[in-house]
Amino acid sequence: MQIDRDRLHRFLNPKSIAVVGGDESERVLGQCAKLAYQGILWAVNPNRTELAGIPCVKHINKLPIVPDAVFLGISADQSIEFVGLLEVMGVGGVVCLASGFKEIGELGEDRQERLVQLAGSMPVLGPNCYGYINALTGAVLFPDQHGLYRVDQGVAIITASGNLGINFTLQQRNLPIAWLITVGNQAVMGIEDALEVALECANIRAIGLHIEGLRDVSRFIQLTELAREKGVVIIVLKVGKSKIGSKITQSHTAVLAGESRLFLALFKRLGVGQTDTVEEFLEALKLAYVHGPIEGNRLVSMSCSGGEASLLADLAVSRNLQFPEFTKKHKSLLRKILTGYVSLSNPLDYHTFIWGDYDRTYRMFSAMMKGDFDLFILIIDFPDPEYCDDSAWIGTIQAYVKACQEHLVKGVVVSSIPENITRKVGKYLINNQIVPLQGMSQALAAIESLSQVGMTWKSTIHPPKLSFFGLSASAEYMQCLDDHTSKQLLANCQIPVPPGERVQSVSEALKTIKKIGFPIAIKALDSNLEHKSEVGGVRIGLRETERTINEVRRMLERWKSLRLEKMIDDHVAELMVSISHDPQFGHFLMISAGGTLVEMINDNQLLLLPVDDEQILEALQSLKIWPLLNGYRGRKCADLEELVNTIKQVVGIMRKFGKNIYEIEINPLIIGETGAVVVDALIRTNKMDRIHG
């Protein structure tokens, strides 16, 4: 049953809160008082007279009105009973703190199933969940201390972890957090529900998701489109590196593609910011809160130290960020302010000649902001005012703030050491629409993340369309086509394959040799054969009839049928092109360096379907072997137009047969100066349907 939207809004923005239980529930009341919650509070406990100074009623049905939100600080079995009662009463929603549900196994799974059934359309956070904090209203259904304070606007953080949720609130990075929502087991209310409500709150300017996975990928895709329409950036910290849960391991694709990488491909496609650490996550949210998406990746950095400038440049090398050279016109503006000792390069070391000179510093910043950059960076670490006179530092950022505001640019202040921005300075900067980013590497990660969001948003986004295999992905429902049958299907779909035939006798082999000519490759045809070369199932480079026939005789003693095919001479590089299936994401495309070392090299790109020419070419350009394809050091250049077209034709098979094809793996696809040819192919299909090319 779907969650009632009106009840969900009541639940997360409650005008009345009831707590049920003992010590944990008392702490919830205390935290509501700490954040000056102005709504009605009730306590329910049959054995106590009061909780946190609030008189107790014996039972929830004794309350004068139906509460908007209820916190259950009671046992698992009691919680199940109460959820059923609260659903009938029409309560807005419930936080279920108790553990002992799905996370403990079979007994817990039964409990969770009963809880879901009794919840009906009522939102339930949890079970095994700490709840939420609404710092906009002071509503706290959260049984522990935290670091949040009342704000008028801020970011929302939705997390699968209660303890990490607490840690997020304790951050001292000047990030205003409006909502913290922990989702626990997501038995009823999931991340997607919390995300949708956050997007409907005008006071939330960015949303952070700390997730292990998603329950509904299709709905998430729709919500990211809504976020883009509203200009609300979503930043994700994705954890978990589990492999695709397929029992079929014949193909390389199942080895190389993991669930986590499919999520990353999804986020990139949708313009969702990605981060790898908690620090990067918080810095990216801070940047999104103040500036929203960054429209490009052209940066300029200013510092009064060559050490800071060179360190920042080094840290940016591995990221998709640029520090463009200054134009002649821009240099002339800067030269009028800075001495001849200053080398006008980006990142800029402006030296300490103007340190403490407010007017000259301001004019230097102002001249810098006449350049064509997407983001302006000032590197400066602040002293502790208890031990040092920080007036020169404060004057520098005041000059920087004035210049940023006058030129209407997006500016950030970056400290080389994370703790070297005080809370006072950070608050001043945020109040003046400048982002205090703490730590160089974390700052660059955040900037890259928001830059990728901005550049994706500027282009036309084509969300993936999830297409799913029709039957179960277990072996009993599938058949694996051998190389010859697979190539017949590909050829019928206008995908180039070498001339060749299936043979089951020496006489058939002789006819095929005359038909296709030398050089010849012989391949054993066995749909259960995983790596032919390792068991003598392949012979290549055969150029004489007698030797070829001898190899045919020998191989027919072991295998019933063989494929004889013409070898390909035009060879620039080898790729693996495959389409496989994931239970959450449906069919997806992998483009990889091919051949026998495909797993060892691990050079691949994942794309969700559908794809266009631009996306395919971008994936090819992201491969380590791209220089080989593009004519490395004067070598032959691959036929890139035909390569892109061939990959598109492979994808096109899925539009025709997608529900009946589980997987296509082409390895290698040989790319030459003219054309691309499938040398080996494996296709896995639905046993119940015959696939016709």
Side-chain angles (χ1 to χ4, degrees), residues 3-114:
I3 290 174
D4 184 294
R5 308 305 301 167
D6 291 335
R7 293 175 83 167
L8 183 55
H9 280 278
R10 281 175 57 203
F11 174 46
L12 294 177
N13 300 279
K15 295 180 180 178
S16 57
I17 297 172
V19 301
V20 180
D23 293 343
E24 291 86 357
S25 296
E26 187 168 36
R27 285 195 285 270
V28 168
L29 296 173
Q31 294 304 320
C32 285
K34 177 184 173 182
L35 253 62
Y37 174 67
Q38 297 300 304
I40 303 169
L41 293 172
W42 291 295
V44 178
N45 189 310
N47 303 314
R48 293 182 50 175
T49 58
E50 58 87 22
L51 292 176
I54 294 176
C56 291
V57 298
K58 299 295 183 183
H59 198 275
I60 193 80
N61 59 18
K62 300 295 183 182
L63 297 179
I65 60 173
V66 177
D68 292 325
V70 173
F71 178 86
L72 296 179
I74 51 182
S75 70
D77 290 325
Q78 288 177 311
S79 295
I80 295 169
E81 179 185 344
F82 262 85
V83 163
L85 175 61
L86 297 173
E87 191 330 285
V88 173
M89 286 176 61
V91 165
V94 176
V95 170
C96 182
L97 174 68
S99 57
F101 288 85
K102 190 175 181 178
E103 74 278 2
I104 67 168
E106 189 174 342
L107 172 62
E109 288 178 0
D110 178 65
R111 281 177 174 159
Q112 188 153 313
E113 189 175 321
R114 285 188 287 131

Side-chain angles (χ1 to χ4, degrees), residues 192 195 199 214 216-229 234 262-263 265-267 269-272 461-468 584-586 608-610:
E192 296 86 353
L195 174 59
L199 284 170
L214 295 169
D216 188 339
V217 175
S218 295
R219 186 178 174 200
F220 178 78
I221 291 171
Q222 294 172 349
L223 291 173
T224 62
E225 293 175 7
L226 176 62
R228 195 163 61 253
E229 290 172 8
I234 299 172
L262 289 170
F263 271 108
L266 176 71
F267 300 147
R269 179 84 163 257
L270 297 174
V272 171
I461 295 178
H462 299 287
K465 297 177 181 177
L466 308 185
S467 64
F468 293 94
Q584 285 190 93
F585 294 91
L608 300 179
L609 303 181

Side-chain angles (χ1 to χ4, degrees), residues 266-576:
L266 176 71
F267 300 147
K268 180 180 179 182
R269 179 84 163 257
L270 297 174
V272 171
Q274 302 178 47
T275 54
D276 295 321
T277 69
V278 168
E279 296 92 340
E280 294 171 3
F281 180 64
L282 294 172
E283 294 303 289
L285 279 173
K286 199 188 325 177
L287 186 58
Y289 168 75
V290 177
H291 288 324
I294 309 300
E295 292 189 354
N297 62 354
R298 293 169 55 86
L299 314 178
V300 66
S301 169
M302 299 159 279
S303 64
C304 62
S305 162
E308 293 168 339
S310 59
L311 180 56
L312 189 74
D314 288 348
L315 290 170
V317 165
S318 61
R319 299 191 177 277
N320 184 24
L321 299 172
Q322 299 178 19
F323 288 96
E325 292 185 10
F326 298 135
T327 64
K328 289 182 179 180
K329 183 179 179 180
H330 202 190
K331 283 184 177 180
S332 67
L333 290 173
L334 292 168
R335 183 60 70 202
K336 293 175 183 178
I337 302 161
L338 300 172
T339 73
Y341 292 104
V342 175
S343 174
L344 297 180
S345 58
N346 185 18
L348 175 68
D349 166 19
Y350 61 83
H351 293 204
T352 55
F353 299 115
I354 61 173
W355 182 253
D357 184 336
Y358 174 89
D359 180 66
R360 200 170 170 191
T361 303
Y362 159 73
R363 287 191 292 115
M364 185 270 294
F365 290 146
S366 185
M368 185 67 81
M369 290 167 190
K370 293 176 182 177
D372 179 23
F373 303 103
D374 298 301
L375 189 71
F376 293 81
I377 300 171
L378 172 62
I379 303 175
I380 183 169
D381 286 52
F382 295 85
D384 186 336
E386 187 176 341
Y387 299 101
C388 300
D389 177 7
D390 65 352
S391 57
W393 284 263
I394 299 300
T396 300
I397 61 167
Q398 287 173 338
Y400 183 66
V401 166
K402 181 181 178 183
C404 287
Q405 291 176 341
E406 288 185 356
H407 291 276
L408 301 176
V409 300
K410 293 183 176 181
V412 302
V413 169
V414 175
S415 63
S416 62
I417 300 173
E419 60 267 27
N420 285 0
I421 291 183
T422 65
R423 277 196 163 189
K424 181 180 178 182
V425 167
K427 185 176 181 180
Y428 165 77
L429 291 170
I430 283 187
N431 287 343
N432 284 280
Q433 297 299 296
I434 306 295
V435 188
L437 295 177
Q438 296 171 242
M440 281 189 182
S441 60
Q442 296 97 323
L444 288 173
I447 292 168
E448 182 183 43
S449 179
L450 270 295
S451 169
Q452 288 298 117
V453 171
M455 290 190 291
T456 303
W457 282 17
K458 280 170 60 179
S459 61
T460 301
I461 295 178
H462 299 287
K465 297 177 181 177
L466 308 185
S467 64
F468 293 94
F469 182 65
L471 296 175
S472 167
S474 61
E476 64 181 298
Y477 290 104
M478 282 189 284
Q479 61 183 342
C480 187
L481 308 184
D482 64 30
D483 182 71
H484 181 74
T485 308
S486 295
K487 284 176 177 168
Q488 281 185 316
L489 191 153
L490 296 174
N492 288 336
C493 293
Q494 311 306 311
I495 296 169
V497 301
E501 299 288 343
R502 181 192 298 271
V503 302
Q504 295 179 310
S505 67
V506 169
S507 61
E508 290 178 346
L510 284 168
K511 290 179 183 178
T512 300
I513 292 170
K514 290 179 181 179
K515 182 177 180 180
I516 65 176
F518 292 106
I520 282 177
I522 307 174
K523 300 175 182 179
L525 293 179
D526 184 342
S527 59
N528 296 314
L529 194 57
E530 184 175 348
H531 300 297
K532 300 183 187 72
S533 59
E534 294 178 6
V535 293
V538 177
R539 287 291 181 267
I540 62 174
L542 299 169
R543 298 178 182 274
E544 299 173 356
T545 301
E546 184 178 355
R547 184 182 172 194
T548 303
I549 294 302
N550 287 338
E551 290 293 345
V552 167
R553 285 195 182 97
R554 183 189 62 78
M555 294 176 70
L556 284 175
E557 291 176 358
R558 184 169 181 182
W559 292 285
K560 291 181 179 180
S561 62
L562 311 172
R563 176 176 168 86
L564 270 64
E565 68 181 25
K566 184 74 173 284
M567 288 192 64
I568 305 302
D569 292 324
D570 186 7
H571 185 290
V572 173
E574 296 182 358
L575 288 181
M576 182 181 82

